[in-house]
Amino acid sequence: MGEDPMRGAPRGRPVPRPARTPRAVAIVWALLGLNTLGSAGAKTIVTIPRSLIQMVTMGALVAAFTLALALNLRLRVRPSAFVFLLTLLLVPSVISSANLEVGFGALFRCARLALFVATLWLLSRWWDGSLTFVRHHIRMYFAVLGSVAAGLVISPGTAMPEYYGGRLVGALWPLTPPQIGQYAAVIIGLTVLLVLGRRTDGAGAAVVIVPSVVLLALTHTRTATLGLLIGLTLAIGSLVLTSAAARRFFTWTVLCAVVAAAAFSSALQAWYLRGQSQENLSSLTGRAKVWDALLAEPRTTAEQLFGMGLGDKSFGGLPIDNSWLAVYQEQGLVGAAVVAAFVVVLAGVALLRPPSLQRACAIFLISYCGISSYTEAGLGDASPYLLHLALAATLLAAPAAAPRPPAPPAPRRRVPSWARDRKVN
């Protein structure tokens, strides 16, 4: 009969394929996202006690780890330099937090980071370089933005309060404008790349992109907007040589941007300034003063190397709003070196990969997190930024090789009947 050239195996024998990602993995990913939403933010329509929010977010992390363990009882993991370096980050975190200089909350945050990293290890079994986790990521944050939009419709005054300068906040769940802007920018960028890669249709993409752009504009978040524009430019630029759709999109976007900048320059400038003075803008809304005070703080050698322990990313009661200085404050120079290492590793692997949609999505995520790290904290602890980088790691993972089909049994030699019946003298 021979072999079927279309299947590469004898006819009648099924070809083994890599195990499909279970649907429950999407639930685990969503629970990780819920854990990183945080417990501090704007006032909501119905006041939610912070203790209850913390119970929900921590319960989500415990549930994510438990479900991931149930899905991967044999503890099969894939090698991942990103998760390995993230595991190493636990070392300076535990060393600094054990001194209890910032209280027992530091040890609690260490346990949270350890559980977060362990869940990523369990999920790494299904990291195969496909777009599966990208779709999970978009659906998860689109659901979060849906709650923000619902709060805006129900109570516009609560959703755009004066104490935030009329910027959009979460009225149902306490979310700050930078958080909403970050979620909107990330799913806009990923959806645009899926459209360019012809992995989704225009109508479905418009359902995600249009409301997300509106919500991003209402947050007046400059960091998210710049991260989206620069990240998309780099990601699409990586596709220009191999994708005609990317070249057309890039050309039309540049033309539209030039026309918009010329026609609406005053409106864009007013949106960017948000009513702030030039002095306030130059000091990055007061962030520079906090950064100078943090760097001028006297420290021992141990504090310089390992930091003060995991805290709430603040200094002197004010938010640090810089990932690198927050890591230096809490995990020291050792922690900053580990964070720099996994960012550099991801960026290096992305640059060495051949052009593809997965590579473009990874470049967008890495560049977005790199830009946001200047005015947002989160690279040294369980946060949406680590989840974005974990998504980039899933995209850069080598595809899992299909198991080789078992060798067909050796054909049995047929003996003629006259030979079987013949007696040996």
Side-chain angles (χ1 to χ4, degrees):
M1 297 293 291
E3 293 185 355
D4 187 347
M6 298 301 293
R7 295 180 62 89
R11 293 180 181 178
R13 294 182 178 275
V15 178
R17 297 179 180 178
R20 292 185 178 181
T21 304
R23 294 184 178 180
V25 168
I27 300 177
V28 177
W29 198 258
L31 290 171
L32 288 178
L34 176 59
N35 173 254
T36 61
L37 292 183
S39 58
K43 297 178 180 179
T44 55
I45 298 173
V46 177
T47 303
I48 307 175
R50 186 175 180 182
S51 58
L52 177 59
I53 296 175
Q54 290 176 334
M55 288 178 59
V56 171
T57 54
M58 277 306 301
L61 181 57
V62 173
F65 173 77
T66 304
L67 182 55
L69 184 60
L71 294 172
N72 192 3
L73 285 175
R74 296 185 179 182
L75 302 181
R76 294 178 178 176
V77 299
R78 295 197 64 187
S80 172
F82 168 74
V83 187
F84 173 73
L85 291 171
L86 202 55
T87 307
L88 286 183
L89 187 62
L90 289 170
V91 176
S93 302
V94 172
I95 292 176
S96 59
S97 299
N99 296 326
L100 300 180
E101 292 188 23
V102 293
F104 286 96
L107 294 178
F108 176 81
R109 292 183 178 91
C110 283
R112 174 176 176 247
L113 179 59
L115 208 57
F116 185 88
V117 175
T119 306
L120 292 181
W121 272 121
L122 292 172
L123 291 180
S124 67
R125 174 185 178 182
W126 296 283
W127 293 5
D128 56 0
S130 68
L131 297 171
T132 301
F133 285 88
V134 172
R135 301 185 187 279
H136 296 337
H137 211 67
I138 293 174
R139 294 189 187 106
M140 172 182 67
Y141 283 125
F142 187 68
V144 175
L145 294 182
S147 70
V148 174
L152 178 62
V153 173
I154 295 172
S155 179
T158 306
M160 303 187 71
E162 290 298 329
Y163 59 83
Y164 265 113
R167 301 169 66 190
L168 180 64
V169 300
L172 298 180
W173 185 275
L175 297 173
T176 61
Q179 284 180 283
I180 300 171
Q182 176 196 162
Y183 305 151
V186 167
I187 67 172
I188 290 170
L190 292 176
T191 306
V192 168
L193 293 174
L194 288 181
V195 173
L196 293 180
R198 298 181 179 179
R199 300 301 178 90
T200 186
D201 54 38
V207 172
V208 175
I209 294 175
V210 173
S212 299
V213 169
V214 174
L215 296 180
L216 175 59
L218 291 177
T219 62
H220 281 223
T221 307
R222 294 179 291 232
T223 301
T225 304
L226 289 176
L228 171 63
L229 296 177
I230 297 175
L232 266 183
T233 300
L234 296 176
I236 296 174
S238 69
L239 293 173
V240 164
L241 296 179
T242 58
S243 172
R247 289 192 292 271
R248 289 193 298 268
F249 182 85
F250 186 81
T251 302
W252 281 105
T253 301
V254 170
L255 292 175
C256 293
V258 171
V259 173
F264 305 103
S265 57
S266 58
L268 292 174
Q269 184 178 8
W271 181 89
Y272 185 79
L273 290 175
R274 294 196 315 229
Q276 297 175 343
S277 63
Q278 191 66 31
E279 180 182 358
N280 196 17
L281 183 63
S282 62
S283 65
L284 296 174
T285 322
R287 292 184 177 95
K289 298 178 181 179
V290 179
W291 298 347
D292 293 339
L294 186 150
L295 293 173
E297 179 77 5
R299 304 170 189 270
T300 64
T301 302
E303 290 172 346
Q304 287 183 343
L305 291 176
F306 301 108
M308 310 290 289
L310 293 183
D312 59 357
K313 312 296 178 289
S314 66
F315 179 80
L318 297 174
I320 297 175
D321 285 341
N322 181 288
S323 285
W324 304 102
L325 292 180
V327 171
Y328 172 67
Q329 168 71 11
E330 297 182 354
Q331 292 136 309
L333 294 174
V334 175
V338 174
V339 172
F342 66 64
V343 172
V344 170
V345 166
L346 285 175
V349 172
L351 293 177
L352 293 175
R353 286 282 190 272
S356 66
L357 179 58
Q358 288 85 342
R359 175 181 182 246
C361 290
I363 289 174
F364 167 75
L365 292 166
I366 297 167
S367 57
Y368 180 88
C369 292
I371 294 167
S372 299
S373 67
Y374 185 65
T375 58
E376 297 290 338
L379 286 183
D381 204 349
S383 68
Y385 292 105
L386 284 190
L387 205 56
H388 300 333
L389 293 178
L391 176 60
T394 70
L395 293 166
L396 297 174
R404 301 181 66 178
R412 299 180 61 182
R413 185 176 180 181
R414 299 183 61 184
V415 181
S417 57
W418 60 269
R420 290 198 302 266
D421 297 337
R422 185 177 180 181
K423 293 182 179 180
V424 178
N425 294 328

